[in-house]
Amino acid sequence: GQWITRSIVDDDGLVESHSVGKVVGYLSAEESDYVDDEGRPTALWRAEYHTGVLKGDAEDLDEQDVLSSAPRPTREAIAPGALYAAP
């Protein structure tokens, strides 16, 4: 799974801290019950956090969240819409 870093923001939108996690699961758009802002079925990736204030927590992320949380070299190598779950 891909390692990610999520920014934790305060009420003013300023970054307070970061948490590092790992993508551990995937649901295709067909399996997921999540829809995007335009009502389209959307795939979800499951991330479990290992550091920071989110340590021990897990959350489901859409593609944009995963891409924006990926290490910068990975962000450049992965085109939007190209993420997939490894077997």
Side-chain angles (χ1 to χ4, degrees), residues 6-82:
R6 297 284 284 164
S7 297
I8 312 306
V9 297
D10 64 16
D11 292 337
D12 296 320
L14 302 173
V15 175
E16 288 185 323
S17 66
H18 296 90
S19 288
V20 174
K22 188 172 188 178
V23 176
V24 297
Y26 172 78
L27 283 176
S28 69
E30 293 78 26
E31 297 171 299
S32 167
D33 61 359
Y34 181 73
V35 294
D36 66 13
D37 293 339
E38 297 176 11
R40 296 179 301 218
T42 303
L44 292 174
W45 286 259
R46 183 72 166 181
E48 293 178 351
Y49 295 100
H50 297 267
T51 69
V53 298
L54 296 178
K55 183 177 181 177
D57 289 344
E59 81 178 313
D60 296 325
L61 305 171
D62 65 19
E63 183 178 36
Q64 182 57 42
D65 290 335
V66 173
L67 288 174
S68 66
S69 301
R72 292 203 184 275
T74 303
R75 289 184 210 176
E76 296 166 8
I78 301 175

